[in-house]
Amino acid sequence: MTLPADIDALVRLFVVANVVLLVVLVLIYIERKVLAHIQQRLGPMRTGFHGILQTPADAIKLLIKEDLTPQSADRWVFQLAPFLVFVPIFMMFVTIPFTGELVVRNLDLGIFYLVAFSSLHVVGLLMAGWGSDNKYALLGGVRAAAQLISFELPLAFAILGVVVWSGSLNLKEIVELQTGIPFLLLQPLGVLIFLVASLAELSRTPFDIPTAESEVIGGPLVEYSGMRWSIFMLAEYASLFATAAIAAAIYLGGWEWPFAPRAGELDGWAARLAGVTWFVIKTLGLIILVFWLRGTLPRLRIDQLMGFAWKMLIPFSFINLIITAAAVVYGGVILLAGWLATGGFAYAVYIRSRR
Amino acid sequence: MSNTYLFDYSPVFLGVLLGAGLVGSLLLLARLLAPRRREALKGATYECGILPVAGHNWMQFHVRYYLFAILFLIFEVETVFMFPWAVILQTLGNTAFIEMMLFLAILTFGLAYAWKKGVLEWER
């Protein structure tokens, strides 16, 4: 059965929208449980088996809360902000591949499109901060803008390393190039930069400076309540899911690595199931790593954060790109030599800073 | 580039509509279900418990944010140049590599200048 392309895309988008909502509910539950167990608590236990119905209950509670708009707020900006935060993040799912065929549309510009849309929600956060007419919200908004644009650069440069090596922007092609060796091993520096920068892009601890409770009491979200507030939360977890899925695709070999069923070995549905299983394992593993970091690391100060972005991550992401490009043009040996030299250099800097 | 190329991107436009529709319908649902009782203090700006100052609360913030935004713009435009370069580097080879390294060197010089000038320092 084949549908017209646009109807097919619409059906797929609708399914993806529901999957994203469901995944967000599950992720919030997992985060609370992981954090609780790191802190030797039990977490939610009362609603359903081991508190499994806690997030749906919270969602219903948020739905029937009064939705307030401050009197002095810039009404249009205030009310438009949730849309501008959520929609760009939702649009990333247009080309995020769950497996080779479980994707809304495998765009040729794939990864470039994702880089573009992953940074667009900064406009929404800035609008939320400005529109709230609140000191804390405004400070949080400009902090969010400064942080997100600063970490956007190393993120894009880390991804450029992958693009140079694979010579393609298409996510499906990038994954298929990794059937032998995942880019995790070819781009060790790139993976580190990507992980740190995307943590900051997601404003997760230790980079949750825009919404730091003890400094700006929730930042741009101070004045939001009820459903409007929960749309920001929805967007945050959806972008966490999206980023983990991208990392799984471009560094961990997506749905194929470590082994994919060869043609004829499994019939259609079993092969699909195998792909989805790999995807879920990798994505969930990365997401739990993010939760683990939140449970472990304290928040950075904003000067440490900006200094780290511009003085460490950006120069190192340049080095990453130069080494990869040189290896593509002049032969793969440069890659190995380059990573060894970079590792040695970083170690020397570390030793010097310890004195 | 054929006529059908743009149709590849139709899900992008559908995505905007569906995403906005999702947010809109959630907000509509909340509007139908949630109570709405107006009280004077509910609309007041949140100020950690004390009464807010009359008028707007937009405050001054440091010009440094603006400098970072300018620096960002320069480098972001550079990444836009680099994506097409990265895709075809394997076919272009040596020349393209050297050209882009020169471009990168100029921008790195700019970053080093900003660094030296103390733009990247938060405390001064």
Side-chain angles (χ1 to χ4, degrees):
Chain A
M1 190 183 71
T2 47
L3 292 167
D6 285 348
I7 306 291
D8 178 62
L10 196 61
V11 171
R12 280 166 188 249
L13 263 175
F14 188 73
V15 173
V16 165
N18 285 294
V19 168
V20 169
L21 290 180
L22 194 67
V23 165
V24 168
L25 285 184
V26 174
L27 285 187
I28 293 174
Y29 175 72
I30 294 178
E31 169 158 41
R32 294 181 67 174
K33 276 294 186 190
V34 168
L35 282 182
H37 283 279
I38 286 174
Q39 296 160 357
Q40 303 197 329
R41 297 183 285 119
L42 288 174
M45 285 297 280
R46 304 245 170 183
T47 28
F49 176 73
H50 280 253
I52 201 143
L53 294 176
Q54 187 64 51
T55 351
D58 285 343
I60 293 169
K61 186 205 77 174
L62 283 168
L63 196 61
I64 55 174
K65 284 281 175 190
E66 187 170 0
D67 179 26
L68 293 173
T69 306
Q71 254 150 22
S72 58
D74 202 334
R75 285 190 83 84
W76 271 98
V77 178
F78 184 82
Q79 295 184 346
L80 203 59
F83 286 88
L84 281 169
V85 170
F86 183 79
V87 173
I89 288 169
F90 178 71
M91 285 175 71
M92 289 166 76
F93 285 96
V94 168
T95 194
I96 287 176
F98 296 90
T99 73
E101 45 184 35
L102 290 180
V103 56
V104 176
R105 183 67 60 88
N106 187 34
L107 299 176
D108 264 346
L109 277 178
I111 197 81
F112 185 65
Y113 171 88
L114 289 175
V115 170
F117 276 95
S118 69
S119 57
L120 212 57
H121 69 285
V122 66
V123 179
L125 285 176
L126 202 54
M127 279 170 68
W130 176 261
S132 300
D133 185 29
N134 182 309
K135 285 173 196 165
Y136 303 103
L138 180 59
L139 263 186
V142 289
R143 279 181 172 196
Q147 170 172 338
L148 264 61
I149 62 174
S150 294
F151 281 89
E152 178 63 23
L153 292 170
L155 192 70
F157 273 95
I159 290 173
L160 264 171
V162 173
V163 176
V164 166
W165 189 257
S166 55
S168 170
L169 294 168
N170 189 318
L171 279 161
K172 192 177 180 192
E173 285 170 21
I174 291 177
V175 169
E176 276 162 2
L177 281 168
Q178 299 179 64
T179 38
I181 313 166
F183 289 159
L184 171 71
L185 300 176
L186 296 174
Q187 297 273 315
L189 184 60
V191 174
L192 279 179
I193 293 167
F194 182 91
L195 280 181
V196 175
S198 52
L199 263 186
E201 283 286 299
L202 296 167
S203 309
R204 305 288 307 188
T205 330
F207 303 111
D208 59 344
I209 289 160
T211 55
E213 291 87 352
S214 51
E215 297 163 27
V216 286
I217 50 172
L221 311 184
V222 183
E223 293 287 2
Y224 285 90
S225 62
M227 209 57 219
R228 252 182 250 284
W229 178 83
S230 38
I231 284 165
F232 284 101
M233 284 295 114
L234 195 64
E236 182 185 328
Y237 283 89
S239 71
L240 173 63
F241 177 42
T243 310
I246 295 168
I250 65 174
Y251 287 119
L252 300 178
W255 58 91
E256 293 206 324
W257 187 78
F259 53 82
R262 279 181 215 89
E265 214 170 50
L266 289 170
D267 61 335
W269 281 105
R272 272 175 216 162
L273 190 67
V276 170
T277 311
W278 284 131
F279 171 81
V280 169
I281 289 174
K282 287 166 185 170
T283 312
L284 198 61
L286 285 169
I287 289 172
I288 287 179
L289 177 71
V290 170
F291 293 161
W292 182 11
L293 288 175
R294 176 170 176 195
T296 314
L297 296 174
R299 181 183 304 134
L300 293 171
R301 286 198 319 262
I302 189 156
D303 59 315
Q304 294 171 326
L305 174 97
M306 301 301 280
F308 181 63
W310 288 92
K311 295 176 186 170
M312 285 280 290
L313 280 186
I314 289 179
F316 269 109
S317 63
F318 281 1
I319 293 173
N320 176 51
L321 183 67
I322 292 168
I323 291 174
T324 315
V328 164
V329 177
Y330 303 112
V333 191
I334 294 173
L335 206 59
L336 187 65
W339 298 145
L340 287 177
T342 316
F345 174 69
Y347 186 69
V349 170
Y350 171 72
I351 292 291
R352 267 197 67 187
S353 70
R354 286 285 295 258
R355 283 222 188 105
Chain B
M1 217 50 54
S2 67
N3 249 342
T4 57
Y5 185 76
L6 200 62
F7 284 103
D8 253 10
Y9 289 82
S10 60
V12 177
F13 304 111
L14 292 175
V16 180
L17 295 180
L18 202 66
L22 187 66
V23 177
S25 53
L26 279 173
L27 289 180
L28 187 71
L29 198 62
R31 203 182 181 96
L32 293 176
L33 290 176
R36 295 170 78 199
R37 288 185 206 95
R38 281 273 155 257
E39 281 170 36
L41 271 181
K42 270 190 189 169
T45 303
Y46 178 65
E47 277 279 18
C48 290
I50 55 168
L51 286 175
V53 190
H56 279 298
N57 286 287
W58 289 313
M59 53 186 268
Q60 294 181 327
F61 54 89
H62 207 286
V63 67
R64 196 177 285 124
Y65 290 103
Y66 183 67
L67 291 175
F68 274 109
I70 290 177
L71 262 184
F72 162 76
L73 260 186
I74 298 165
F75 281 91
E76 189 70 350
V77 170
E78 181 196 5
T79 42
V80 173
F81 279 124
M82 288 184 101
F83 267 97
W85 166 82
V87 175
I88 51 166
L89 179 65
Q90 283 171 5
T91 41
L92 289 185
N94 201 5
T95 328
F97 177 74
I98 290 170
E99 279 178 1
M100 192 48 89
M101 286 309 115
L102 284 175
F103 185 42
L104 199 59
I106 294 167
L107 277 160
T108 313
F109 181 73
L111 179 64
Y113 179 71
W115 193 336
K116 188 86 181 153
K117 276 289 192 183
V119 177
L120 306 182
E121 305 299 326
W122 205 256
E123 306 291 338
R124 224 183 294 168

